[in-house]
Amino acid sequence: MSARAPHGADGAGPAQGPAEGTADKPVEEPAEGPYFLFDIDGTLVDSSGLIVSVWRRVAAEFGADAEAILAVCHGRRDSEVVPMFFRPEDIPRVTVRIQELEAEGVGLLRPVPGAPELLGGLPAGRWASVTSGPSRLMTGRLGAVGLPVPAVLVAADHVRRGKPDPEGYLAAAAALGAGPEACVVVEDAPAGVAAGRAAGMFVIGLTTTHTAAQLAGADAVVTSLAEVPGVAAARSGRA
């Protein structure tokens, strides 16, 4: 399958706002089950080692604080993180250097345990990915670890505002033809959890990158992707 940006996610029109009240109403589950919206880095692809390595090397080369960067970078677009920590005149070179190091480190990538099985059990039209990485890089990472590229992929270059803004998740839901109340977001980072919640969706936090306490904004927190289907199936009775 080829990845595509959903209508309205490439700057052609404003993103739809979250449906009012969806966070408090019981969910009427579609007959086919919920729509799943997955983050990629840390959720489907184990890229934590690569991300840490890249930011540490770039920080050392350009005189930035690596620990400060790593405290906030997960789940956020590089275009938003880089200006926070690097001198304006260095931003173009930093951006290029990040891309070079990411390409060199592709061998460090692995699928998150349970990802092949989970995605393999979902119909093509029932799931999408919403990522803070560029679309070309993210499709490459999925392919590198043997995971399918979804028909709907909303990436950093498809939205005006990255996570924690809900724009990406709302755009993916619209492309799937699903309302926010029918969607389950699976995220490993606080920024992504906040984005899913702001979109009015049920959010499952996955503790691959952050602790359960750091993902406390999610509706549910799991330690494994194997737990996701059961938690999603039980969500209709949530308060």
Side-chain angles (χ1 to χ4, degrees):
M1 283 183 241
S2 60
R4 62 184 177 88
H7 177 70
D10 57 0
Q16 176 185 350
E20 294 184 2
T22 55
D24 298 319
K25 294 180 180 179
V27 175
E28 293 185 9
E29 195 71 84
E32 301 86 354
Y35 293 84
F36 287 93
L37 307 180
F38 297 98
D39 177 45
I40 294 180
D41 279 327
T43 301
L44 298 178
V45 177
D46 181 358
S47 55
S48 58
L50 175 58
I51 290 171
V52 170
S53 174
V54 167
W55 282 115
R56 287 194 187 283
R57 289 185 63 180
V58 170
E61 291 173 12
F62 290 89
D65 185 340
E67 297 310 314
I69 295 171
L70 292 170
V72 301
C73 70
H74 294 284
R76 304 184 69 169
R77 299 189 294 184
D78 290 349
S79 61
E80 295 167 343
V81 175
V82 171
M84 296 169 62
F85 299 98
F86 297 88
R87 293 172 298 194
E89 62 269 26
D90 288 338
I91 289 175
R93 290 190 299 142
V94 170
T95 301
V96 170
R97 187 60 175 142
I98 289 171
Q99 294 170 350
E100 292 173 348
L101 293 172
E102 286 176 335
E104 293 172 7
V106 68
L108 297 173
L109 302 173
R110 300 287 185 274
V112 169
E117 295 80 6
L118 178 56
L119 297 183
L122 297 176
R126 304 298 296 190
W127 70 282
S129 284
V130 180
T131 173
S132 295
S135 55
R136 189 171 183 178
L137 177 68
M138 292 297 103
T139 56
R141 286 187 179 176
L142 289 170
V145 300
L147 294 178
V149 175
V152 175
L153 189 155
V154 181
D157 43 315
H158 299 150
V159 296
R160 297 186 186 94
R161 299 170 298 277
K163 302 171 187 178
D165 192 276
E167 180 184 348
Y169 278 115
L170 290 167
L176 289 173
E181 70 283 352
C183 295
V184 172
V185 168
V186 185
E187 271 280 359
D188 72 303
V193 168
R197 291 287 290 162
M201 300 174 181
F202 185 86
V203 180
I204 299 176
L206 178 66
T207 59
T208 49
T209 309
H210 293 82
T211 66
Q214 291 171 315
L215 301 175
D219 294 283
V221 177
V222 299
T223 60
S224 167
L225 286 176
E227 300 173 67
V228 167
V231 172
R235 88 193 211 283
S236 59
R238 72 189 178 99

